[in-house]
């Protein structure tokens, strides 16, 4: 490796660590090189375990803080849309459901706007805004503290309000999944609401793209065995897939070009 390549990759690592996530196009502008050059660098650095490679960019390995909401909105957008669309196909008209905080659950909500007669309880302002035009949709927004950076409604009041309801489906996102199946998040304030959804939904869908397999937030939400179906865009690590199979969790692997699907048991 030449000195120039080492310097360029050091700058990529510094930029990614400062911003949490960086698109290849942005890195190319900062470094004044081609996108192809950045892509080769990112691929090599990901293979060496220095950064995590994504479609169109890179993120820091196991960040201690979550990526900014504006960056998460565009991170793996096509994959999140595919996950959301597939999960939405399993929701019948007239269903009741909880939807929590997250950009993947927001992608899911966008795909519900053609449904009729839904009854939705959410602690996500963006989800409420997305579903407001849906025909005959009954929306309930949990009370609590509004987190302005991402539109989440958090705190004891939000969790307590969710506890007052029982719904057909609970649809949750997550920030990280440990190798043993532990579901993890960065912010303890939103965990109580997610746990309340898991307790009070008859069927629980977990929506998470492949980047969550390598992220290790510190706060524990629960265990993947507590969910009914897992929607993602790449096959999980073998150890996690074994846990899913033993727990009887339905696994749906969906990509952004066609809706392929793998199952560990018959679909819900």
């Amino acid at each position: 490796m030449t000195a120039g390549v080492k310097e360029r990759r050091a700058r990529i690592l510094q930029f990614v660590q400062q911003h949490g996530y960086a698109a290849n196009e942005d890195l190319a502008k900062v470094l004044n090189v081609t996108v192809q050059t950045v892509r080769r660098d990112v691929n090599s650095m990901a293979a060496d375990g220095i950064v995590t490679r994504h479609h169109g960019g890179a993120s820091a390995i196991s960040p201690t803080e979550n990526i900014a909401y504006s960056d998460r909105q565009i991170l793996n957008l096509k994959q999140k849309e595919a996950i959301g669309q597939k999960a939405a196909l399993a929701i019948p008209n007239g269903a009741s459901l909880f939807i929590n905080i997250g950009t993947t659950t927001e992608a899911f909500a966008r795909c519900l706007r053609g449904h009729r007669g839904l009854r939705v309880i959410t602690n996500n302002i963006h989800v409420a805004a997305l579903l407001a035009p849906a025909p005959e949709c009954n929306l309930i927004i949990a009370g609590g503290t509004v987190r302005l950076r991402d539109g989440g409604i958090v705190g004891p009041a939000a969790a307590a309000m969710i506890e007052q309801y029982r719904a057909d489906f609970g649809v949750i996102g997550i920030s990280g999944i440990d190798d043993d199946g532990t579901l993890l998040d960065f912010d303890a304030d939103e965990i109580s609401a997610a746990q309340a959804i898991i307790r009070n939904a008859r069927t629980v869908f977990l929506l998470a793209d492949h980047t969550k397999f390598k992220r290790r937030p510190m706060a524990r939400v629960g265990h993947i065995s507590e969910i009914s179906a897992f929607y993602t865009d790449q096959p999980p690590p073998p150890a996690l897939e074994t846990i899913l199979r033993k727990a009887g969790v339905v696994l749906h692997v969906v990509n952004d070009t066609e809706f392929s699907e793998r199952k560990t048991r018959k679909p819900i």
Side-chain angles (χ1 to χ4, degrees):
M1 185 188 304
T2 67
V5 173
K6 287 182 180 179
E7 181 181 356
R8 188 173 65 241
R9 292 183 181 179
R11 291 180 64 190
I12 289 174
L13 178 60
Q14 182 182 30
F15 191 92
V16 168
Q17 288 176 333
Q18 288 176 344
H19 295 82
Y21 169 79
N24 289 339
E25 290 83 358
D26 293 336
L27 288 169
K29 291 177 182 178
V30 169
L31 299 170
N32 195 27
V33 296
T34 66
V35 173
Q36 290 76 14
T37 297
V38 169
R39 189 177 294 116
R40 285 195 297 270
D41 286 339
V42 168
N43 288 343
S44 179
M45 293 169 71
D48 291 336
I50 299 171
V51 299
T52 298
R53 182 179 64 84
H54 305 291
H55 181 72
S59 67
I61 294 288
S62 299
T64 56
E65 295 184 359
N66 205 357
I67 300 170
Y69 177 74
S70 58
D71 290 330
R72 283 186 282 134
Q73 282 185 301
I74 61 174
L75 178 61
N76 293 326
L77 178 59
K78 290 183 179 179
Q79 291 88 338
K80 291 175 181 178
E81 289 176 343
I83 290 169
Q85 187 169 350
K86 184 64 179 179
L89 291 174
I91 305 297
N93 290 330
S96 59
L97 60 159
F98 300 108
I99 305 175
N100 83 335
I101 302 166
T103 53
T104 310
T105 53
E106 289 169 19
F108 165 77
R110 278 192 292 272
C111 298
L112 291 178
R113 288 184 290 190
H115 285 59
R116 303 192 68 86
L118 295 180
R119 293 159 292 160
V120 177
I121 305 104
T122 184
N123 63 326
N124 186 330
I125 286 178
H126 299 301
V127 165
L130 287 165
L131 289 175
E136 305 170 15
C137 184
N138 183 1
L139 277 169
I140 299 171
I141 302 177
T145 302
V146 178
R147 197 166 57 192
L148 297 179
R149 69 175 184 266
D150 63 1
I153 303 173
V154 298
M161 187 168 178
I162 290 171
E163 291 282 8
Q164 297 177 27
Y165 294 90
R166 181 78 169 159
D168 299 325
F169 298 91
V171 182
I172 64 171
I174 204 70
S175 294
I177 306 173
D178 214 338
D179 293 336
D180 64 357
T182 301
L183 305 179
L184 302 165
D185 223 313
F186 289 97
D187 198 330
D189 287 339
E190 64 185 81
I191 286 176
S192 57
Q195 291 171 335
I197 289 173
I198 292 172
R199 284 193 297 270
N200 291 287
R202 298 180 182 90
T203 299
V204 181
F205 289 175
L206 173 65
L207 314 185
D209 65 75
H210 69 279
T211 63
K212 309 307 189 296
F213 299 143
K214 295 183 179 180
R215 303 178 79 191
R216 298 293 183 268
M218 292 181 63
R220 186 182 186 278
V221 178
H223 194 268
I224 204 163
S225 61
E226 299 175 75
I227 69 168
S228 310
F230 178 29
Y231 291 80
T232 187
D233 64 315
Q234 291 185 16
L240 184 58
E241 192 161 355
T242 298
I243 292 170
L244 292 168
R245 184 171 59 253
K246 289 182 177 179
V249 177
V250 180
L251 173 63
H252 301 272
V253 178
V254 188
N255 61 50
D256 60 341
T257 56
E258 61 178 344
F259 292 130
S260 61
E261 180 179 303
R262 299 168 63 209
K263 306 187 184 92
T264 53
R265 63 176 171 83
K266 291 184 179 180
I268 295 168

